[in-house]
């Protein structure tokens, strides 16, 4: 049976059921409205027609279900959930040990990370993750990241020249210089992207922004209107707003925004981790231990996350 005939027959059965229902309802209503005897044979006839039509519809539904099973391949839900679970374990491991390497891992890397995940000692976990990332992020890897930055159409061209200098400093092992250059440009990169969003009238979900802002600032008692007023002020708020643009919010960006707000942009002493390149503390002269390869590479990975975020956002690939 082709689709047109199937749809025609299905509609006919449904219409017949509607008619039979109306007849049956009419008989029942007339019975309730008077004490007159009714013609039992008519009632049984209509009820039988209604029952037969319903059975026919049920058979058609069964036929439709069989056709769907033939057309749509079976999906192994358990395998899909297992893959997602393995991927999530890797992402949250990176988050736990403070490495913003989220963009470069896949579910297929699980076997590599499994021994680290099984390690009970937190310090050993961090050391092993650090060693793995140092091995992966050789100079060719860093050059490929820079190439991606330079081809981005949103970032200010003059800012890209500073990125090139920062990578040269990294290659020369002048890590403090690399960190300083990138740290001073993070706000500017976020503003470049946010300005582009506003200029091109890309929609931002205000409700989502308020909810995410409250989650990231649990001690802020501002009303929703007051929170929305903050959207244009401050790069942290602009970054939150970018995550509330019209796209599917995924795990990598969720982790990224939390890492940026709670780690990179931390201002107070509570929660401060000096193994991280804390932008505010570096730019204000409070943190002075950032002349290491680890701090410099984390800075590069943070900047890459934000720039790649803009690439995905405007190419609808999130």
């Amino acid at each position: 049976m082709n689709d047109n005939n199937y749809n025609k027959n299905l509609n006919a059965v449904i219409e017949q059921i509607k008619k039979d229902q109306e007849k049956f309802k009419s008989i029942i209503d007339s019975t309730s409205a008077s004490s007159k005897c009714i013609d039992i044979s008519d009632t049984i006839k209509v009820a039988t027609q209604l029952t037969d039509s319903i059975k026919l519809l049920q058979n058609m539904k069964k036929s439709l279900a069989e056709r769907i099973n033939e057309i749509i391949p079976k999906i192994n839900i358990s395998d899909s959930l297992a893959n997602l679970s393995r991927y999530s374990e890797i992402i949250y491991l990176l988050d736990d040990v403070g490495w913003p390497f989220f963009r470069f891992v896949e579910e297929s890397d699980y076997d590599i990370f499994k021994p680290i995940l099984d390690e009970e000692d937190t310090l050993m976990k961090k050391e092993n993750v650090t060693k793995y990332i140092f091995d992966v992020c050789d100079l060719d890897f860093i050059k490929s990241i820079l190439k991606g930055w330079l081809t981005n159409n949103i970032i200010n061209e003059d800012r890209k020249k500073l990125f090139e200098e920062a990578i040269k400093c990294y290659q020369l092992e002048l890590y403090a210089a690399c960190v300083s250059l990138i740290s001073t440009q993070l706000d500017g990169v976020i503003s470049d992207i946010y300005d582009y969003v506003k200029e091109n009238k890309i929609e931002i979900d205000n409700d989502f922004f308020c909810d995410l802002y409250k989650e990231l600032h649990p001690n802020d008692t501002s009303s929703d209107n007051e929170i929305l007023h903050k959207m244009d002020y401050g790069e942290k708020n602009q970054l939150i707003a970018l995550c509330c643009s019209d796209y599917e919010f995924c795990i990598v960006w969720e982790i990224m925004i939390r890492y940026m707000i709670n780690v990179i942009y931390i201002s107070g002493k509570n929660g401060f981790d000096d193994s991280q390149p804390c932008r505010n503390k570096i730019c204000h002269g409070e943190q002075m231990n950032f002349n290491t390869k680890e701090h410099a590479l984390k800075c590069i990975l943070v900047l890459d996350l934000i720039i790649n975020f803009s690439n995905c956002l405007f190419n609808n690939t999130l």
Side-chain angles (χ1 to χ4, degrees):
M1 184 186 297
N2 63 39
D3 289 341
N4 288 335
N5 288 338
Y6 184 88
N7 291 335
K8 184 177 180 181
N9 291 340
L10 179 62
N11 289 333
V13 171
I14 293 173
E15 285 301 315
Q16 185 60 49
I17 289 175
K18 288 180 180 178
K19 291 178 182 178
D20 292 341
Q21 283 178 321
E22 288 298 320
K23 289 180 182 178
F24 195 68
K25 182 176 182 298
S26 175
I27 292 173
I28 297 302
D29 288 346
S30 65
T31 306
S32 302
S34 68
S35 59
K36 295 180 181 178
C37 293
I38 62 170
D39 188 338
I40 299 298
S41 62
D42 286 346
T43 306
I44 294 174
K45 182 180 178 181
V46 174
T48 301
Q49 289 176 346
L50 181 58
T51 301
D52 289 344
S53 295
I54 291 174
K55 285 181 179 178
L56 180 58
L57 179 60
Q58 288 172 338
N59 290 334
M60 294 185 74
K61 286 170 65 180
K62 182 179 179 181
S63 173
L64 178 61
E66 290 172 351
R67 294 178 70 205
I68 290 174
N69 286 333
E70 291 174 1
I71 296 171
I72 301 176
K74 292 183 178 180
I75 300 173
N76 193 325
I77 300 298
S78 61
D79 284 352
S80 299
L81 290 175
N83 291 341
L84 178 59
S85 175
R86 286 192 288 267
Y87 176 69
S88 299
E89 281 190 64
I90 299 171
I91 292 294
Y92 287 117
L93 168 66
L94 294 171
D95 187 42
D96 287 342
V97 299
W99 267 103
F101 195 64
F102 317 119
R103 197 169 75 82
F104 300 103
V105 294
E106 299 176 352
E107 180 276 329
S108 57
D109 297 321
Y110 184 78
D111 289 341
I112 297 173
F113 285 96
K114 184 66 167 63
I116 303 175
L117 288 163
D118 291 340
E119 175 62 57
E120 294 182 1
D121 188 286
T122 303
L123 290 178
M124 282 300 298
K125 274 188 177 182
K126 183 174 181 180
E127 287 181 16
N128 290 332
V129 170
T130 299
K131 183 180 183 304
Y132 171 77
I133 293 175
F134 280 170
D135 289 342
V136 172
C137 298
D138 57 16
L139 291 182
D140 287 336
F141 182 91
I142 299 299
K143 288 177 183 177
S144 69
I145 284 181
L146 174 62
K147 184 178 179 180
W149 298 352
L150 299 180
T151 56
N152 183 281
N153 295 321
I154 299 168
I155 306 302
N156 184 292
E157 291 300 319
D158 290 333
R159 207 181 307 284
K160 293 178 182 179
K161 296 175 184 177
L162 299 177
F163 296 161
E164 290 182 284
E165 288 190 25
I167 297 304
K168 286 180 182 177
C169 290
Y170 183 85
Q171 292 171 323
L172 295 171
E173 298 184 7
L174 299 172
Y175 298 129
C178 173
V179 171
S180 297
L181 274 169
I182 293 178
S183 295
T184 59
Q185 296 306 306
L186 285 179
D187 283 6
V189 171
I190 295 170
S191 292
D192 286 345
I193 301 170
Y194 187 74
D195 290 345
Y196 184 92
V197 166
K198 300 295 281 187
E199 289 168 6
N200 288 272
K201 296 181 172 57
I202 296 175
E203 184 178 355
I204 293 174
D205 187 325
N206 288 341
D207 291 336
F208 189 14
F209 175 80
C210 289
D211 291 342
L212 189 55
Y213 180 94
K214 291 173 185 176
E215 190 173 339
L216 293 166
H217 301 86
N219 296 323
D220 192 326
T221 58
S222 302
S223 67
D224 284 1
N225 286 336
E226 290 171 333
I227 291 174
L228 289 175
H229 183 69
K230 298 176 182 181
M231 188 184 296
D232 293 331
Y233 302 98
E235 287 70 24
K236 288 192 291 185
N237 294 338
Q238 291 176 356
L239 185 61
I240 297 173
L242 291 174
C243 285
C244 301
S245 301
D246 188 18
Y247 71 89
E248 185 177 349
F249 195 57
C250 65
I251 184 173
V252 172
W253 308 127
E254 178 185 357
I255 296 291
M256 179 197 76
I257 188 68
R258 296 182 194 283
Y259 179 79
M260 292 295 297
I261 300 297
N262 297 328
V263 178
I264 299 302
Y265 276 97
I266 190 171
S267 296
K269 294 181 179 180
N270 292 336
F272 170 58
D273 180 354
D274 66 2
S275 71
Q276 300 289 343
C278 302
R279 183 265 171 202
N280 288 354
K281 291 185 176 294
I282 289 171
C283 292
H284 295 155
E286 296 178 31
Q287 184 177 352
M288 292 163 281
N289 70 327
F290 55 87
N291 56 333
T292 71
K293 181 178 181 179
E294 180 175 340
H295 286 87
L297 183 53
K298 285 178 177 177
C299 253
I300 291 170
L301 293 173
V302 164
L303 178 59
D304 182 69
L305 264 177
I306 298 174
I307 293 179
N308 185 261
F309 175 81
S310 72
N311 288 337
C312 294
L313 183 61
F314 304 120
N315 291 326
N316 295 317
T317 57
L318 281 172

